[in-house]
């Protein structure tokens, strides 16, 4: 069958200028930011395209994007009058794809950053991507981290426009990171300024970052399950072409931007009819979403994966994991969040309905990617808030135990290999340090509850993993007991005991 490209779909050719660069080329950002820009372009509101940048050396999407002339299909699922509907759209908003770890591509990317039409930077590199790492500035090529690369490239733009008559009007950029951490824009700016100091880029460059560029805190929400492996053949027949990058997601989407009406004028998302909120403080939206939707995913998926399940809807319909997941949300997460309980419950009801959608085939393995940083951002705060209220969140403790158990047989390298209850082997990617630390901690386990205490204590005391030693704040003995039970009695049996 013919593959998707411009030769097959010449009507998708676009001559719109490059107005944005995005770090990330995975399913989520393509099915969210790229799709939103496509929707704005359809209404002649944005009239621009973007360049997609591979954020890590192990990325595999850029070559496929190039093969398909940067076209891909989004397949969105939703309910209309009680019936399931599917919306197919060929997205043509990516003008080019770059692998910055290729020297030729990095040189092109440096030129991209000098474009007078460039206005926006987006990113989705997971929580693990938005961290400060002390790096040496190479004479050629790029550094490893996303913030480091962005610092390098902003410096190229700064040098290109320094002293130019039009510098003030075009040099500054609007930077909207989409990673799910608190104050993501503020955090990214702080890291860039650290790199500027490390590399002695000068006060003028730092003034450019602080005064000409605007960093926005954001919150994104759409469940994107990615490539529909189970239905790919059916979709290819319906569409009349093969698309290695087709991405499925839910029709629901939400974006909150912390800012003023100025960003709404620059980025007319609301005008295009998209579900976007611009507010001076997006904390309530972020807290609600990260704790309930993302927290429910991250706290329940490790156990479901160990139990031999593959998708979120399977997790929600299973007679053991389903009721447990609901109890985690309603009985432990919601009571710990300091917001209006009615608002939280209403949102949770909608989240459970979204999780139940079988058409998404949302893979548990994809949710497990970089799960240590996700546990830190999405689950641990609810546990700590519960402890501050003098309650022991036993089900969230179990969630930690199941998460720890994922690494029991790890050799300290990523991807982590997991033996599941169904006898099959699964795997997922995680941060290099986290995987090594977990494997080292599990080397202390000697098939006893006492040795499980040593393993759990080694994990929770690692300040590099969590930002602090957690042993004094959590019930180490109880978590160890649950961890030992998961390993010896099985994940579902332990879950039922909770």
């Amino acid at each position: 069958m013919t593959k998707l490209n411009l030769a097959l779909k010449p009507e998708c050719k676009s001559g719109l200028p490059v107005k944005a660069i995005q770090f990330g080329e995975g399913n989520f950002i393509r099915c969210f930011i790229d799709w939103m820009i496509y929707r704005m372009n359809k209404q002649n509101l944005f009239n621009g395209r973007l360049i997609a940048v591979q954020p890590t050396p192990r990325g595999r999407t850029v070559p496929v994007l190039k093969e398909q002339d940067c076209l891909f299909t989004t397949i969105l699922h939703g309910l209309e009058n009680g019936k399931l509907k599917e919306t197919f759209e060929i997205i043509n908003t990516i003008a080019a794809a770059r692998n910055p770890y290729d020297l030729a591509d990095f040189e092109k990317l440096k030129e991209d950053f000098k474009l007078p039409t460039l206005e926006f930077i987006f990113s989705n590199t997971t929580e693990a991507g938005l961290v400060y790492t002390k790096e040496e500035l190479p004479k050629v090529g790029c550094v490893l981290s996303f913030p480091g690369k962005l610092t390098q490239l902003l410096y190229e733009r700064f040098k290109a426009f320094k002293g130019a008559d039009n510098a003030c009007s075009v040099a500054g950029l609007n930077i909207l990171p989409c990673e799910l951490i608190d104050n993501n824009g503020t955090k990214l700016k702080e890291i860039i300024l650290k790199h500027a100091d490390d590399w002695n880029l000068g006060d003028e460059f730092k003034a450019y970052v602080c005064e000409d560029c605007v960093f926005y805190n954001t919150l994104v929400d759409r469940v994107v399950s990615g490539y529909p492996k189970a239905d790919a053949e059916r979709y290819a027949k319906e569409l009349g072409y093969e698309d290695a990058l087709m991405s499925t997601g839910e029709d629901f989407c939400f974006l909150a931007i912390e800012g003023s009406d100025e960003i709404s004028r620059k980025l007319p998302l609301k005008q295009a009819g998209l579900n976007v909120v611009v507010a001076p403080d997006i904390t309530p939206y972020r807290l609600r979403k990260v704790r309930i939707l993302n927290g429910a995913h991250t706290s329940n998926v490790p156990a479901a994966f160990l139990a031999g399940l593959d998708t979120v809807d399977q997790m929600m319909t299973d007679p053991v994991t389903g009721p447990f997941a609901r109890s985690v949300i309603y009985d432990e997460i919601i009571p710990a969040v300091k917001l209006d309980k009615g608002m939280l419950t209403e949102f949770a009801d909608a989240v459970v309905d979204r999780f139940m959608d079988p058409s998404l085939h949302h893979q548990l393995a994809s949710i497990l990617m970089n799960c240590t940083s996700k546990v830190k951002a999405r689950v641990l705060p609810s546990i700590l808030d519960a402890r501050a209220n003098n309650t022991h969140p036993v089900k969230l403790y179990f969630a930690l135990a199941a998460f720890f158990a994922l690494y029991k047989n790890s050799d300290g390298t990523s991807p982590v290999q997991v033996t599941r209850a169904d006898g099959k082997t699964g795997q997922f990617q995680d941060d290099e340090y986290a995987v090594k630390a977990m494997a080292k901690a599990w080397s202390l386990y000697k098939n006893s509850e006492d040795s499980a205490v040593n393993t759990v204590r080694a994990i929770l005391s690692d300040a590099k993993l969590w930002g602090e030693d957690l042993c004094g704040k959590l019930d180490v003995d109880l978590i160890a007991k649950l961890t030992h039970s998961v390993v010896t009695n099985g994940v579902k049996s332990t879950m039922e005991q909770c």
Side-chain angles (χ1 to χ4, degrees):
M1 184 175 288
T2 307
K3 293 184 178 180
L4 177 63
N5 53 37
L6 285 175
L8 178 68
K9 296 289 183 180
E11 67 274 18
C12 293
K13 186 176 179 62
S14 172
L16 293 174
V18 170
K19 296 178 70 173
I21 291 176
Q22 71 179 32
F23 288 82
E25 19 63 315
N27 284 297
F28 180 83
I29 198 165
R30 287 189 288 109
C31 205
F32 192 80
I33 293 296
D34 299 358
W35 172 86
M36 285 185 166
I37 291 175
Y38 169 80
R39 284 294 181 94
M40 288 191 291
N41 285 343
K42 281 185 69 175
Q43 300 176 56
N44 296 315
L45 293 171
F46 185 76
N47 297 322
R49 292 183 295 162
L50 56 85
I51 289 170
V53 181
Q54 177 179 313
T56 67
R58 65 175 180 264
R60 294 173 293 180
T61 303
V62 165
V64 187
L65 277 169
K66 291 179 177 180
E67 288 174 7
Q68 296 189 179
D69 297 321
C70 293
L71 300 179
F72 65 93
T73 312
T74 58
I75 305 167
L76 301 181
H77 299 279
L79 291 175
E80 190 173 78
N81 300 321
K83 294 183 179 180
L84 184 68
K85 68 168 184 175
E86 291 182 321
T87 304
F88 301 86
E89 292 171 298
I90 297 176
I91 309 301
N92 65 344
T93 52
I94 299 180
R98 309 280 191 229
N99 173 9
Y101 305 96
D102 175 270
L103 285 177
D105 260 12
F106 187 62
E107 290 302 313
K108 291 177 183 176
L109 187 56
K110 286 159 69 173
E111 295 305 309
D112 296 333
F113 261 78
K114 300 172 187 176
L115 289 170
T117 56
L118 184 63
E119 296 182 48
F120 300 94
I121 303 295
F122 301 100
S123 67
N124 184 244
T125 60
T126 79
E127 291 91 329
L130 203 56
V131 295
Y132 168 74
T133 305
K134 193 171 182 63
E135 300 171 283
E136 295 295 325
L137 183 63
K139 292 182 179 179
V140 293
C142 67
V143 296
L144 184 62
S145 74
F146 152 58
K149 282 192 287 290
L150 182 55
T151 307
Q152 285 181 276
L153 294 162
L154 286 175
Y155 189 61
E156 292 294 323
R157 185 171 180 85
F158 162 74
K159 290 188 296 181
F161 286 97
K162 183 181 178 182
D165 292 338
N166 62 345
C168 292
S169 61
V170 299
L173 298 174
N174 301 282
I175 300 172
L176 295 90
C178 298
E179 289 80 4
L180 285 171
I181 66 170
D182 289 355
N183 302 311
N184 46 16
T186 303
K187 178 73 171 176
L188 178 56
K189 181 179 179 180
E190 290 172 351
I191 298 173
I192 288 171
L193 292 174
K194 281 185 181 180
H195 284 306
D197 285 334
D198 290 343
W199 300 336
N200 297 312
L201 300 183
D203 290 340
E204 283 188 81
F205 172 67
K206 289 167 66 177
Y208 162 72
V209 171
C210 292
E211 297 169 14
D212 295 334
C213 296
V214 183
F215 292 77
Y216 293 93
N217 296 321
T218 70
L219 173 71
V220 298
D221 188 0
R222 165 174 272 170
V223 173
V224 174
S225 53
Y227 184 77
K229 187 175 181 180
D231 297 316
E233 188 174 336
R234 172 173 70 86
Y235 285 138
K237 289 180 180 178
E238 289 183 34
L239 296 168
Y241 57 79
E242 289 183 353
D243 177 2
L245 295 175
M246 69 174 76
S247 187
T248 54
E250 60 180 348
D251 189 57
F252 174 88
C253 75
F254 175 71
L255 170 64
I257 303 173
E258 197 165 86
S260 64
D261 289 340
E262 182 180 2
I263 188 61
S264 296
R265 290 192 294 271
K266 294 177 179 177
L267 199 60
L269 296 158
K270 292 172 68 176
Q271 194 177 340
L274 299 170
N275 186 17
V276 176
V277 168
V278 176
D281 181 11
I282 62 170
T283 302
Y285 300 103
R286 181 194 303 118
L287 192 60
R288 180 184 70 175
K289 191 259 182 178
V290 172
R291 294 288 189 91
I292 294 179
L293 188 146
N294 301 111
H297 268 158
T298 305
S299 58
N300 287 292
V301 162
F305 190 71
L306 285 168
L309 305 177
D310 295 312
T311 62
V312 172
D313 61 288
Q314 288 177 359
M315 177 181 81
M316 297 305 292
T317 55
D318 182 271
V320 177
T321 61
F324 191 89
R326 289 170 177 80
S327 182
V328 168
I329 296 170
Y330 291 103
D331 298 334
E332 293 199 351
I333 295 178
I334 287 178
V337 180
K338 298 170 185 175
L339 289 175
D340 177 77
K341 302 309 177 189
M343 178 188 78
L344 294 175
T345 300
E346 182 180 0
F347 182 74
D349 292 344
V351 163
V352 169
D353 288 343
R354 291 162 64 188
F355 283 3
M356 294 286 289
D357 186 349
S359 63
L360 288 175
H361 304 298
H362 199 179
Q363 296 295 311
L364 304 182
S366 67
I367 296 171
L368 287 175
M369 182 177 176
N370 294 315
C371 58
T372 301
S373 61
K374 290 177 179 177
V375 167
K376 179 182 176 182
R378 304 173 178 185
V379 180
L380 188 58
S382 291
I383 295 175
L384 293 175
D385 283 350
R387 291 298 301 121
N389 292 330
N390 294 315
T391 60
H392 280 286
V394 176
K395 296 181 181 67
L396 288 174
Y397 280 165
F398 166 81
L400 283 184
F403 160 63
F404 296 160
L406 290 171
Y407 302 84
K408 180 180 181 296
N409 299 314
S410 170
D411 63 0
T413 62
S414 194
V416 178
Q417 304 294 324
V418 181
T419 301
R420 310 193 315 166
D422 59 356
K424 297 179 181 178
T425 300
Q427 65 178 33
F428 64 94
Q429 297 279 354
D430 199 4
D431 173 74
E432 181 181 355
Y433 177 81
V435 176
K436 288 181 178 178
M438 294 287 188
K440 184 178 179 181
W442 274 104
S443 69
L444 304 173
Y445 181 67
K446 307 301 178 186
N447 299 312
S448 68
E449 194 172 307
D450 286 344
S451 63
V453 172
N454 296 330
T455 294
V456 169
R457 188 173 296 280
I459 295 171
L460 293 178
S461 64
D462 192 328
K464 188 171 181 180
L465 281 179
W466 314 113
E468 60 178 318
D469 182 342
L470 293 171
C471 290
K473 295 186 175 183
L474 307 185
D475 190 332
V476 174
D477 290 341
L478 177 54
I479 297 170
K481 181 179 180 180
L482 292 168
T483 303
H484 178 62
S485 180
V486 168
V487 171
T488 57
N489 300 325
V491 66
K492 280 192 174 181
S493 175
T494 307
M495 189 180 287
E496 288 176 322
Q497 291 173 19
C498 291

